[in-house]
Amino acid sequence: MTEDLTKKIVVWAAEIAGYAAQLPSRQVREAYLAERRDELVAGAVAEGVTERDAAILADACVNAARAIMTELLAHRAGVPKGRA
């Protein structure tokens, strides 16, 4: 993975996580993340990436967003979960 792609994933994950954390329930957040994953796969395939590689990339992005979202929600709830 290139440095440029890594930076794009981090920015995307942070933006998606921030939005997802504002959604009203876990189910709605998970549905939102699933929609974003599907969009990422479709976009990568449209640019010539294999379906398998697109899925790997999308999973990495969504997993990063989910981790950030979890930390945001924990922070809002007053439960520090991150590492110092």
Coordinates of all heavy atoms in Angstrom, one line a residue:
M1 N 0.9 -1.2 0.0 CA 0.0 0.0 0.0 C 0.9 1.2 0.0 O 1.9 1.3 0.8 CB -0.9 0.0 1.2 CG -2.0 1.0 1.2 SD -3.2 1.0 2.6 CE -3.2 -0.6 3.2
T2 N 0.6 2.2 -0.8 CA 1.4 3.4 -0.9 C 1.1 4.3 0.2 O 0.0 4.2 0.9 CB 1.1 4.1 -2.2 OG1 -0.3 4.6 -2.2 CG2 1.3 3.2 -3.4
E3 N 2.0 5.2 0.5 CA 1.8 6.2 1.6 C 0.6 7.1 1.3 O -0.2 7.4 2.2 CB 3.0 7.1 1.7 CG 2.9 8.1 2.9 CD 4.2 8.9 3.0 OE1 5.3 8.4 2.6 OE2 4.1 9.9 3.6
D4 N 0.4 7.4 0.0 CA -0.8 8.3 -0.4 C -2.1 7.5 -0.1 O -3.0 8.1 0.4 CB -0.7 8.6 -1.9 CG -1.7 9.6 -2.3 OD1 -1.9 10.6 -1.6 OD2 -2.4 9.4 -3.3
L5 N -2.1 6.3 -0.4 CA -3.3 5.5 -0.2 C -3.6 5.4 1.3 O -4.7 5.5 1.8 CB -3.2 4.1 -0.8 CG -4.5 3.2 -0.7 CD1 -5.7 3.9 -1.2 CD2 -4.2 1.9 -1.4
T6 N -2.5 5.1 2.1 CA -2.7 5.1 3.5 C -3.3 6.3 4.1 O -4.2 6.3 4.9 CB -1.3 4.8 4.2 OG1 -0.8 3.5 3.6 CG2 -1.4 4.6 5.7
K7 N -2.8 7.5 3.6 CA -3.3 8.8 4.1 C -4.8 8.9 3.7 O -5.6 9.4 4.5 CB -2.5 9.9 3.5 CG -1.1 10.0 4.1 CD -0.3 11.1 3.5 CE 1.1 11.2 4.1 NZ 1.9 12.3 3.4
K8 N -5.1 8.5 2.5 CA -6.5 8.6 2.1 C -7.4 7.7 3.0 O -8.5 8.2 3.3 CB -6.7 8.2 0.6 CG -6.2 9.2 -0.3 CD -6.3 8.7 -1.8 CE -5.7 9.8 -2.7 NZ -5.9 9.4 -4.1
I9 N -7.0 6.5 3.3 CA -7.7 5.6 4.2 C -7.9 6.3 5.6 O -9.0 6.3 6.1 CB -7.1 4.3 4.3 CG1 -7.2 3.5 3.0 CG2 -7.7 3.4 5.4 CD1 -6.4 2.3 2.9
V10 N -6.9 6.9 6.1 CA -7.0 7.5 7.4 C -8.0 8.6 7.4 O -8.9 8.7 8.3 CB -5.6 7.9 7.9 CG1 -5.7 8.8 9.2 CG2 -4.7 6.7 8.2
V11 N -7.9 9.5 6.4 CA -8.8 10.6 6.3 C -10.3 10.1 6.1 O -11.2 10.6 6.8 CB -8.4 11.6 5.2 CG1 -9.5 12.6 4.9 CG2 -7.1 12.2 5.5
W12 N -10.4 9.2 5.2 CA -11.8 8.6 5.0 C -12.3 8.0 6.3 O -13.5 8.3 6.6 CB -11.7 7.6 3.9 CG -13.0 7.0 3.5 CD1 -13.9 7.4 2.6 CD2 -13.7 5.8 4.1 NE1 -15.0 6.6 2.6 CE2 -14.9 5.7 3.5 CE3 -13.3 5.0 5.2 CZ2 -15.8 4.6 3.9 CZ3 -14.1 3.9 5.5 CH2 -15.4 3.8 4.9
A13 N -11.5 7.2 6.9 CA -12.0 6.5 8.2 C -12.4 7.5 9.2 O -13.4 7.4 9.9 CB -10.9 5.6 8.7
A14 N -11.6 8.6 9.4 CA -11.9 9.6 10.4 C -13.3 10.3 10.1 O -14.1 10.5 11.0 CB -10.8 10.6 10.5
E15 N -13.4 10.7 8.8 CA -14.7 11.4 8.4 C -15.9 10.5 8.6 O -16.9 10.9 9.1 CB -14.6 11.8 6.9 CG -13.6 12.9 6.7 CD -13.4 13.3 5.3 OE1 -14.1 12.7 4.4 OE2 -12.6 14.2 5.0
I16 N -15.8 9.2 8.1 CA -16.9 8.3 8.2 C -17.2 8.0 9.7 O -18.4 7.9 10.1 CB -16.6 7.0 7.5 CG1 -16.5 7.3 6.0 CG2 -17.6 5.9 7.7 CD1 -17.7 8.0 5.3
A17 N -16.2 7.8 10.5 CA -16.4 7.5 11.9 C -17.0 8.7 12.6 O -17.9 8.4 13.5 CB -15.0 7.2 12.6
G18 N -16.7 9.9 12.3 CA -17.3 11.0 12.9 C -18.8 11.1 12.6 O -19.6 11.4 13.5
Y19 N -19.1 10.9 11.4 CA -20.5 10.9 11.0 C -21.3 9.7 11.7 O -22.3 9.9 12.2 CB -20.7 10.8 9.5 CG -22.1 10.9 9.1 CD1 -22.8 12.1 9.0 CD2 -22.8 9.7 8.8 CE1 -24.1 12.1 8.7 CE2 -24.1 9.7 8.4 CZ -24.8 10.9 8.4 OH -26.1 11.0 8.0
A20 N -20.7 8.5 11.6 CA -21.3 7.3 12.1 C -21.6 7.5 13.6 O -22.6 7.0 14.2 CB -20.5 6.1 11.9
A21 N -20.7 8.1 14.3 CA -20.8 8.2 15.8 C -22.0 9.1 16.2 O -22.5 9.0 17.3 CB -19.5 8.8 16.4
Q22 N -22.5 9.9 15.2 CA -23.6 10.8 15.5 C -25.0 10.1 15.3 O -26.0 10.6 15.6 CB -23.5 12.0 14.6 CG -22.3 12.9 14.9 CD -22.2 14.1 14.0 OE1 -23.2 14.6 13.5 NE2 -21.0 14.5 13.7
L23 N -24.9 8.9 14.7 CA -26.2 8.2 14.3 C -26.8 7.6 15.6 O -26.1 7.3 16.6 CB -25.9 7.1 13.3 CG -25.4 7.7 11.9 CD1 -25.0 6.5 11.0 CD2 -26.5 8.5 11.3
P24 N -28.1 7.4 15.6 CA -28.8 7.2 16.9 C -28.7 5.8 17.5 O -29.0 5.6 18.6 CB -30.3 7.4 16.5 CG -30.4 7.2 15.0 CD -29.0 7.6 14.5
S25 N -28.3 4.8 16.7 CA -28.2 3.4 17.3 C -27.1 2.6 16.6 O -26.6 2.9 15.5 CB -29.6 2.7 17.1 OG -29.7 2.4 15.7
R26 N -26.8 1.5 17.3 CA -25.7 0.6 16.7 C -26.2 0.1 15.4 O -25.4 0.0 14.5 CB -25.5 -0.5 17.7 CG -24.4 -1.4 17.3 CD -24.1 -2.5 18.3 NE -23.0 -3.3 17.8 CZ -22.9 -4.6 18.0 NH1 -23.8 -5.2 18.8 NH2 -21.9 -5.3 17.5
Q27 N -27.4 -0.3 15.3 CA -27.9 -0.9 14.0 C -27.8 0.1 12.9 O -27.4 -0.3 11.8 CB -29.4 -1.4 14.1 CG -29.5 -2.6 15.0 CD -31.0 -3.0 15.1 OE1 -31.8 -2.2 15.4 NE2 -31.3 -4.3 14.8
V28 N -28.1 1.3 13.1 CA -28.1 2.4 12.1 C -26.6 2.6 11.7 O -26.3 2.8 10.5 CB -28.8 3.7 12.5 CG1 -28.6 4.8 11.6 CG2 -30.3 3.4 12.7
R29 N -25.7 2.7 12.7 CA -24.3 2.9 12.5 C -23.7 1.7 11.6 O -23.0 2.0 10.7 CB -23.5 3.0 13.8 CG -23.8 4.3 14.5 CD -22.9 4.5 15.7 NE -23.1 3.6 16.8 CZ -24.0 3.8 17.8 NH1 -24.7 4.9 17.8 NH2 -24.1 2.9 18.7
E30 N -24.1 0.5 12.0 CA -23.6 -0.7 11.2 C -24.1 -0.7 9.8 O -23.4 -1.0 8.8 CB -23.9 -2.0 11.9 CG -23.1 -2.2 13.2 CD -21.6 -2.2 12.9 OE1 -21.1 -2.8 11.9 OE2 -20.8 -1.7 13.8
A31 N -25.3 -0.3 9.6 CA -25.9 -0.2 8.2 C -25.2 0.9 7.4 O -24.9 0.7 6.2 CB -27.4 0.1 8.3
Y32 N -24.9 2.0 8.1 CA -24.2 3.1 7.4 C -22.8 2.6 7.0 O -22.3 2.8 5.8 CB -24.1 4.3 8.3 CG -23.2 5.4 7.8 CD1 -23.7 6.2 6.8 CD2 -22.0 5.6 8.3 CE1 -22.9 7.2 6.3 CE2 -21.2 6.7 7.8 CZ -21.7 7.5 6.8 OH -20.9 8.5 6.3
L33 N -22.1 1.9 7.9 CA -20.7 1.4 7.6 C -20.8 0.4 6.4 O -19.9 0.4 5.6 CB -20.1 0.8 8.8 CG -19.7 1.9 9.9 CD1 -19.2 1.1 11.1 CD2 -18.7 2.9 9.4
A34 N -21.8 -0.5 6.4 CA -21.9 -1.4 5.4 C -22.2 -0.8 4.0 O -21.6 -1.2 3.0 CB -23.1 -2.4 5.7
E35 N -23.0 0.3 4.0 CA -23.2 1.0 2.8 C -21.9 1.7 2.3 O -21.6 1.6 1.1 CB -24.2 2.1 3.0 CG -25.7 1.6 3.2 CD -26.6 2.7 3.6 OE1 -26.2 3.9 3.6 OE2 -27.7 2.4 4.0
R36 N -21.1 2.3 3.2 CA -19.9 2.9 2.8 C -18.9 1.8 2.2 O -18.2 2.0 1.2 CB -19.2 3.6 3.9 CG -20.0 4.7 4.5 CD -20.3 6.0 3.6 NE -21.2 5.8 2.6 CZ -22.5 5.8 2.7 NH1 -23.1 6.0 3.9 NH2 -23.3 5.6 1.7
R37 N -18.9 0.6 2.8 CA -18.1 -0.5 2.3 C -18.4 -0.9 0.9 O -17.6 -1.0 0.1 CB -18.2 -1.7 3.3 CG -17.3 -2.8 2.8 CD -17.6 -4.1 3.5 NE -16.7 -5.2 3.1 CZ -16.8 -5.9 1.9 NH1 -17.8 -5.6 1.0 NH2 -16.0 -6.8 1.6
D38 N -19.7 -1.0 0.7 CA -20.2 -1.4 -0.6 C -19.8 -0.3 -1.7 O -19.4 -0.7 -2.8 CB -21.7 -1.6 -0.7 CG -22.2 -2.8 0.1 OD1 -21.3 -3.7 0.5 OD2 -23.4 -2.9 0.4
E39 N -19.9 0.9 -1.3 CA -19.5 2.0 -2.2 C -18.0 2.0 -2.5 O -17.6 2.2 -3.6 CB -19.8 3.4 -1.6 CG -21.3 3.7 -1.6 CD -21.6 5.0 -1.0 OE1 -20.7 5.7 -0.5 OE2 -22.8 5.3 -0.9
L40 N -17.2 1.7 -1.5 CA -15.8 1.6 -1.7 C -15.4 0.4 -2.6 O -14.6 0.6 -3.5 CB -15.0 1.4 -0.3 CG -14.9 2.6 0.5 CD1 -14.4 2.2 1.9 CD2 -13.9 3.6 -0.1
V41 N -16.0 -0.7 -2.4 CA -15.8 -1.9 -3.3 C -16.1 -1.5 -4.7 O -15.4 -1.7 -5.7 CB -16.5 -3.1 -2.8 CG1 -16.5 -4.2 -3.9 CG2 -16.0 -3.6 -1.5
A42 N -17.3 -1.0 -4.9 CA -17.8 -0.6 -6.3 C -16.9 0.4 -6.9 O -16.5 0.3 -8.1 CB -19.2 -0.1 -6.2
G43 N -16.4 1.4 -6.2 CA -15.5 2.4 -6.7 C -14.2 1.9 -7.1 O -13.6 2.2 -8.1
A44 N -13.6 1.0 -6.3 CA -12.3 0.4 -6.5 C -12.4 -0.5 -7.8 O -11.5 -0.5 -8.6 CB -11.8 -0.3 -5.3
V45 N -13.5 -1.3 -7.8 CA -13.6 -2.2 -9.0 C -13.8 -1.4 -10.3 O -13.2 -1.7 -11.3 CB -14.8 -3.1 -8.8 CG1 -15.2 -3.9 -10.1 CG2 -14.5 -4.1 -7.7
A46 N -14.5 -0.3 -10.2 CA -14.7 0.6 -11.4 C -13.4 1.2 -11.8 O -13.2 1.5 -13.0 CB -15.7 1.7 -11.0
E47 N -12.4 1.3 -10.9 CA -11.1 1.8 -11.3 C -10.1 0.8 -11.7 O -8.9 1.0 -11.9 CB -10.6 2.7 -10.2 CG -11.4 4.0 -10.0 CD -10.7 5.0 -9.1 OE1 -9.4 4.9 -8.9 OE2 -11.4 5.8 -8.5
G48 N -10.6 -0.5 -11.8 CA -9.8 -1.6 -12.3 C -9.2 -2.5 -11.3 O -8.4 -3.4 -11.6
V49 N -9.5 -2.3 -10.0 CA -9.0 -3.2 -8.9 C -9.8 -4.5 -8.9 O -11.0 -4.4 -9.2 CB -9.1 -2.5 -7.6 CG1 -8.7 -3.4 -6.4 CG2 -8.3 -1.2 -7.6
T50 N -9.2 -5.6 -8.7 CA -9.9 -6.8 -8.6 C -10.9 -6.8 -7.5 O -10.7 -6.1 -6.5 CB -9.0 -8.0 -8.4 OG1 -8.4 -8.0 -7.1 CG2 -7.9 -8.1 -9.5
E51 N -11.9 -7.6 -7.6 CA -13.0 -7.7 -6.5 C -12.4 -8.0 -5.2 O -12.7 -7.5 -4.2 CB -14.0 -8.7 -7.0 CG -15.2 -8.8 -6.0 CD -16.3 -7.7 -6.2 OE1 -16.4 -7.2 -7.4 OE2 -16.9 -7.3 -5.3
R52 N -11.5 -9.0 -5.2 CA -10.8 -9.4 -4.0 C -10.0 -8.3 -3.3 O -10.1 -8.1 -2.1 CB -9.9 -10.6 -4.2 CG -9.2 -11.2 -3.0 CD -8.3 -12.4 -3.4 NE -7.6 -12.9 -2.2 CZ -6.4 -12.4 -1.8 NH1 -5.8 -11.4 -2.4 NH2 -5.8 -12.9 -0.7
D53 N -9.2 -7.6 -4.1 CA -8.4 -6.5 -3.6 C -9.3 -5.4 -3.1 O -9.0 -4.7 -2.1 CB -7.4 -6.1 -4.6 CG -6.2 -7.0 -4.8 OD1 -6.1 -8.0 -4.0 OD2 -5.5 -6.9 -5.8
A54 N -10.4 -5.1 -3.9 CA -11.3 -4.1 -3.5 C -11.9 -4.4 -2.1 O -12.1 -3.5 -1.3 CB -12.4 -3.9 -4.5
A55 N -12.3 -5.6 -1.9 CA -12.9 -6.0 -0.7 C -11.9 -5.9 0.5 O -12.3 -5.5 1.6 CB -13.4 -7.5 -0.8
I56 N -10.7 -6.3 0.3 CA -9.6 -6.1 1.3 C -9.4 -4.7 1.7 O -9.4 -4.3 2.9 CB -8.3 -6.8 0.8 CG1 -8.4 -8.3 0.7 CG2 -7.2 -6.4 1.7 CD1 -7.3 -9.0 0.0
L57 N -9.4 -3.8 0.7 CA -9.2 -2.4 0.9 C -10.4 -1.8 1.7 O -10.3 -1.1 2.7 CB -9.0 -1.6 -0.4 CG -8.9 -0.1 -0.3 CD1 -7.7 0.3 0.5 CD2 -8.9 0.5 -1.7
A58 N -11.6 -2.2 1.2 CA -12.8 -1.7 1.8 C -12.9 -2.1 3.3 O -13.3 -1.4 4.2 CB -14.0 -2.1 1.0
D59 N -12.6 -3.4 3.5 CA -12.6 -3.9 4.9 C -11.6 -3.2 5.8 O -12.0 -2.8 6.9 CB -12.3 -5.4 4.9 CG -13.5 -6.2 4.4 OD1 -14.6 -5.7 4.3 OD2 -13.2 -7.4 4.0
A60 N -10.5 -2.9 5.3 CA -9.5 -2.1 6.1 C -10.0 -0.7 6.4 O -9.9 -0.3 7.5 CB -8.2 -2.0 5.3
C61 N -10.6 -0.1 5.4 CA -11.2 1.2 5.7 C -12.3 1.2 6.7 O -12.3 2.0 7.6 CB -11.7 1.8 4.4 SG -10.5 2.2 3.1
V62 N -13.2 0.3 6.5 CA -14.4 0.2 7.5 C -13.9 -0.2 8.8 O -14.4 0.3 9.8 CB -15.5 -0.7 6.9 CG1 -16.5 -1.0 7.9 CG2 -16.1 -0.1 5.6
N63 N -13.0 -1.1 8.9 CA -12.5 -1.5 10.2 C -11.8 -0.3 11.0 O -12.0 -0.2 12.2 CB -11.5 -2.7 10.1 CG -12.2 -4.0 9.8 OD1 -13.4 -4.1 10.0 ND2 -11.5 -4.9 9.2
A64 N -11.1 0.5 10.2 CA -10.4 1.6 10.8 C -11.5 2.6 11.3 O -11.4 3.2 12.4 CB -9.5 2.3 9.8
A65 N -12.5 2.8 10.4 CA -13.6 3.7 10.8 C -14.4 3.2 12.0 O -14.7 4.0 12.9 CB -14.6 3.9 9.6
R66 N -14.6 1.9 12.1 CA -15.3 1.3 13.3 C -14.5 1.5 14.5 O -15.0 1.9 15.6 CB -15.5 -0.1 13.0 CG -16.4 -0.8 14.1 CD -16.8 -2.2 13.8 NE -17.8 -2.3 12.7 CZ -17.6 -2.7 11.5 NH1 -16.4 -3.2 11.1 NH2 -18.6 -2.7 10.6
A67 N -13.2 1.4 14.5 CA -12.3 1.5 15.6 C -12.3 3.0 16.1 O -12.4 3.3 17.3 CB -10.9 1.1 15.3
I68 N -12.2 3.9 15.2 CA -12.3 5.3 15.5 C -13.7 5.7 16.1 O -13.8 6.4 17.1 CB -12.0 6.2 14.3 CG1 -10.5 6.0 13.9 CG2 -12.2 7.7 14.6 CD1 -10.2 6.6 12.5
M69 N -14.7 5.2 15.5 CA -16.1 5.5 16.0 C -16.3 4.9 17.4 O -16.8 5.6 18.2 CB -17.1 4.8 15.0 CG -18.5 5.0 15.5 SD -19.6 3.9 14.5 CE -19.2 2.3 15.1
T70 N -15.7 3.7 17.7 CA -15.8 3.2 19.0 C -15.2 4.1 20.0 O -15.7 4.3 21.1 CB -15.2 1.7 19.0 OG1 -16.0 0.9 18.1 CG2 -15.3 1.1 20.4
E71 N -14.0 4.6 19.7 CA -13.3 5.5 20.6 C -14.1 6.8 20.8 O -14.1 7.3 21.9 CB -11.9 5.7 20.1 CG -11.0 4.5 20.2 CD -10.7 4.1 21.6 OE1 -10.6 4.9 22.5 OE2 -10.5 2.9 21.8
L72 N -14.6 7.3 19.7 CA -15.4 8.5 19.9 C -16.6 8.3 20.8 O -16.9 9.1 21.6 CB -15.9 9.0 18.5 CG -14.8 9.6 17.5 CD1 -15.4 9.8 16.2 CD2 -14.3 10.9 18.1
L73 N -17.3 7.2 20.6 CA -18.5 6.9 21.4 C -18.1 6.7 22.9 O -18.8 7.2 23.8 CB -19.2 5.7 20.9 CG -19.9 5.9 19.5 CD1 -20.4 4.6 19.0 CD2 -21.0 6.9 19.6
A74 N -17.0 6.0 23.1 CA -16.5 5.8 24.5 C -16.1 7.1 25.1 O -16.4 7.3 26.3 CB -15.3 4.8 24.4
H75 N -15.4 7.9 24.4 CA -15.0 9.2 24.9 C -16.3 10.1 25.3 O -16.3 10.7 26.3 CB -14.2 10.0 23.9 CG -13.7 11.3 24.3 ND1 -12.7 11.5 25.3 CD2 -14.1 12.6 24.0 CE1 -12.6 12.8 25.5 NE2 -13.4 13.4 24.7
R76 N -17.3 10.1 24.4 CA -18.5 10.8 24.7 C -19.2 10.3 25.9 O -19.8 11.0 26.7 CB -19.4 10.8 23.5 CG -19.0 11.6 22.4 CD -19.9 11.6 21.2 NE -19.3 12.2 20.1 CZ -19.8 12.1 18.9 NH1 -20.9 11.4 18.6 NH2 -19.2 12.7 17.9
A77 N -19.1 9.0 26.2 CA -19.7 8.4 27.3 C -18.9 8.5 28.6 O -19.3 8.2 29.7 CB -20.0 6.9 27.0
G78 N -17.7 9.1 28.4 CA -16.8 9.3 29.6 C -16.0 8.1 30.0 O -15.5 8.0 31.1
V79 N -15.9 7.1 29.1 CA -15.1 5.9 29.4 C -13.9 5.9 28.5 O -14.0 5.5 27.3 CB -16.0 4.6 29.1 CG1 -15.2 3.4 29.4 CG2 -17.3 4.6 29.8
P80 N -12.7 6.2 29.1 CA -11.5 6.2 28.3 C -11.1 4.8 27.9 O -11.0 4.0 28.8 CB -10.5 6.9 29.2 CG -11.0 6.7 30.6 CD -12.5 6.7 30.4
K81 N -11.0 4.5 26.6 CA -10.6 3.1 26.2 C -9.3 3.1 25.4 O -8.8 2.0 25.2 CB -11.7 2.6 25.3 CG -13.1 2.4 26.1 CD -14.0 1.6 25.2 CE -13.6 0.2 25.1 NZ -14.5 -0.7 24.6
G82 N -8.8 4.3 25.0 CA -7.6 4.3 24.2 C -6.4 4.0 25.1 O -6.4 3.9 26.3
R83 N -5.3 3.9 24.4 CA -4.0 3.7 25.1 C -3.3 5.0 25.3 O -3.3 5.9 24.4 CB -3.1 2.8 24.2 CG -3.8 1.4 24.1 CD -2.9 0.5 23.3 NE -3.4 -0.8 23.3 CZ -3.9 -1.4 22.2 NH1 -3.8 -0.8 21.0 NH2 -4.4 -2.6 22.2
A84 N -2.7 5.2 26.4 CA -2.0 6.4 26.7 C -0.6 6.4 26.1 O 0.0 5.4 25.8 CB -1.9 6.6 28.2

